Amino acid sequence: MLSREASMPTVYFSILLLIHAVLAAGTEAQAPEKPTIAVSSDSGGNNAIWYIDPDGGDPRSILKIEGAPLSWGMEWSPDGSQIAFHTQVGKNVDVYVMDGDGEKLKRLTDHEGEDSWPTWHPSGKRLAFASDRDGNLEIQVMNLVGKVLENLTNDPAPDTQPTWSPDGRQIAFATKRGKSLGDIWAMEANGDEPRNLTNTRGKEIQPKWSPDGKWIVWSSQRNGNGDIFVMDPQGENLRQISGVRKDAIGQWDDREVSWSPDSKKVVYISRSPIFIAEVDKDDELVAHPMLPDIGVIHGSPAWFDPDFVRAFSVSPVEKRPLAWGWLKKLRRGN
């Protein structure tokens, strides 16, 4: 057995290696240095991805994809170094990934049909997505080189728009199981125990799990037009977020909703303007439109904040992702 004196240099060296690995992380693909909302826009007939500040300021063009419509389903990787999305180039709809600085655009899927709505596993090492490569839309999982690892649903009804829970144990998704319009369901991460969370006559789409794991937000047409709702992961404690005050928000379909990293606000599309709403305001809610001059149609906003980055390091006691924002601040020199 090593003596205490002999083992200490080894311990110090291991700590230095760990710190070096953390500080070096992301050198190839950098995350934004400030809170940022990514949004897709139709810019002169081309797909353009823009970054804007959460207050609507500092709009900046990041990437253009010629001959493609909007990018949909945009989602930041857990460390903010990449964004996954789907778009259509030619006849096929495929999943793409780009670096957080707009460099190194990579096409992950390539088949005749639809691969869409990618969502990151909290580890950042794989993606769940919807694919019809088996003849019907199913929730599948692939690695970061586009290799399909497994089909999670295998159901005759179309399953799409997955969203991973922040602990990686569950996936919520939109499906037409049991009815023609659709509901929000959830299942275990391996596809077991699928359950209906909404069960309404309206069309329920585009679920997003909150970063703190407490809520699922989605767009619902149960009231005739699209409104934003939130519920807990059991399908209870439902609350309406948008459309509460029609005089302030308008009569348009509200869709493409995404969480703020602190789980206190949501950003969504209403017709063309981008809105941010505070989740806790209930009837007093007033959504504030952001109108940067970045094109005619906006789609698929996604919010990132470097101070809310999480590493998928699981505590054996609490079994929750552990925050490492302080390490990111250290790397940025703050």
Side-chain angles (χ1 to χ4, degrees):
M1 179 180 295
L2 291 175
S3 67
R4 184 175 185 274
E5 290 77 10
S7 63
M8 288 306 290
T10 302
V11 172
Y12 290 145
F13 181 70
S14 298
I15 293 174
L16 288 174
L17 284 178
L18 175 61
I19 293 175
H20 174 75
V22 172
L23 295 179
T27 55
E28 294 184 359
Q30 294 293 333
E33 296 291 323
K34 63 178 180 177
T36 300
I37 295 176
V39 63
S40 178
S41 172
D42 180 357
S43 180
N46 295 319
N47 179 352
I49 295 176
W50 289 71
Y51 288 174
I52 54 178
D53 293 348
D55 63 1
D58 192 21
R60 49 210 183 271
S61 179
I62 299 299
L63 176 70
K64 289 186 178 180
I65 306 176
E66 295 184 2
L70 294 175
S71 296
W72 300 104
M74 288 202 296
E75 185 173 298
W76 293 92
S77 63
D79 64 359
S81 65
Q82 294 180 298
I83 293 179
F85 59 90
H86 72 267
T87 191
Q88 181 176 349
V89 178
K91 295 182 179 180
N92 298 336
V93 176
D94 284 299
V95 173
Y96 291 76
V97 170
M98 74 172 189
D99 286 356
D101 56 8
E103 301 294 330
K104 297 182 180 178
L105 178 66
K106 181 180 180 181
R107 183 176 185 173
L108 288 187
T109 64
D110 186 7
H111 92 285
E112 294 183 0
E114 177 182 334
D115 292 326
S116 57
W117 303 104
T119 181
W120 294 90
H121 184 270
S123 68
K125 295 181 179 180
R126 57 188 186 273
L127 292 157
F129 68 110
S131 177
D132 66 356
R133 62 185 63 200
D134 293 337
N136 179 54
L137 277 174
E138 307 281 4
I139 307 301
Q140 305 197 19
V141 177
M142 64 178 164
N143 60 21
L144 297 189
V145 296
K147 180 181 179 180
V148 175
L149 304 177
E150 57 183 329
N151 185 341
L152 298 179
T153 49
N154 290 300
D155 191 271
D159 300 318
T160 186
Q161 299 169 346
T163 176
W164 235 307
S165 64
D167 62 5
R169 296 179 176 182
Q170 299 180 75
I171 294 176
F173 60 100
T175 180
K176 292 186 177 180
R177 300 184 187 194
K179 60 186 303 182
S180 60
L181 295 179
D183 277 311
I184 305 301
W185 286 49
M187 62 183 173
E188 299 301 299
N190 62 1
D192 290 346
E193 301 181 24
R195 55 200 183 276
N196 191 337
L197 300 181
T198 52
N199 195 25
T200 72
R201 296 181 179 180
K203 186 177 182 181
E204 318 286 344
I205 60 173
Q206 300 170 350
K208 283 291 183 180
W209 217 299
S210 66
D212 63 9
K214 296 179 180 179
W215 304 102
I216 296 173
V217 70
W218 80 102
S219 177
S220 171
Q221 293 185 357
R222 64 183 64 194
N223 295 332
N225 62 301
D227 291 315
I228 305 301
F229 283 77
V230 66
M231 62 183 167
D232 64 27
Q234 290 73 44
E236 300 175 350
N237 296 310
L238 182 144
R239 293 165 54 224
Q240 186 171 346
I241 301 301
S242 77
V244 180
R245 286 185 54 191
K246 292 298 183 181
D247 60 321
I249 301 176
Q251 301 286 346
W252 309 105
D253 280 340
D254 302 329
R255 65 195 190 282
E256 294 290 315
V257 63
S258 178
W259 286 96
S260 64
D262 62 5
S263 301
K264 294 181 179 180
K265 300 178 181 179
V266 292
V267 57
Y268 60 94
I269 303 299
S270 183
R271 193 188 182 190
S272 179
I274 306 166
F275 285 81
I276 290 179
E278 295 187 34
V279 174
D280 294 332
K281 289 299 183 65
D282 291 330
D283 292 343
E284 298 180 1
L285 168 75
V286 176
H288 303 284
M290 298 187 299
L291 299 172
D293 185 16
I294 60 175
V296 178
I297 302 174
H298 308 314
S300 194
W303 201 326
F304 172 75
D305 189 328
D307 291 337
F308 285 86
V309 168
R310 287 179 177 268
F312 196 67
S313 175
V314 179
S315 163
V317 178
E318 297 182 359
K319 295 188 177 181
R320 296 176 180 174
L322 302 179
W324 70 324
W326 65 273
L327 286 174
K328 298 293 285 186
K329 289 183 179 181
L330 178 63
R331 182 168 65 83
R332 297 199 308 268
N334 294 333

